[in-house]
Amino acid sequence: RFFLIDGDQLICLIRKETALDQTAIIVLSSKMFPQDKRQALEFGVNGFISKPIDPVGYPDKVNEIIASLGCVI
């Protein structure tokens, strides 16, 4: 059985779980309007990647976001 929730709801559920409080959340979306980013940041997102994805630059972008959190890659 699948639960039908959207990305914002999923982010909120992840952030409510104390066991997952160190989990990085990177949003991959075609909706990158300022209000969408602001809301996602309020929910606890760590970074954004816009669609369409650049397959060459994608790994670097993910690594950049993770490194900005102080994680060693």
Side-chain angles (χ1 to χ4, degrees), residues 18-35:
T18 56
L20 300 174
D21 64 354
Q22 297 298 311
T23 301
I25 300 175
I26 301 172
V27 171
L28 175 64
S29 179
S30 59
K31 286 180 25 176
M32 286 290 130
F33 297 107
Q35 65 270 20

Side-chain angles (χ1 to χ4, degrees), residues 9-69:
Q9 292 169 320
L10 179 59
I11 293 165
C12 289
L13 288 173
I14 291 170
R15 288 298 179 229
K16 287 181 183 176
E17 286 292 327
T18 56
L20 300 174
D21 64 354
Q22 297 298 311
T23 301
I25 300 175
I26 301 172
V27 171
L28 175 64
S29 179
S30 59
K31 286 180 25 176
M32 286 290 130
F33 297 107
Q35 65 270 20
D36 297 317
K37 285 186 173 185
R38 186 173 43 256
Q39 183 176 20
L41 288 170
E42 289 171 6
F43 289 153
V45 165
N46 301 103
F48 303 91
I49 298 176
S50 298
K51 291 181 184 178
I53 299 169
D54 169 16
V56 175
Y58 179 76
D60 291 334
K61 183 63 177 171
V62 171
N63 289 336
E64 176 187 315
I65 294 168
I66 293 171
S68 74
L69 301 173

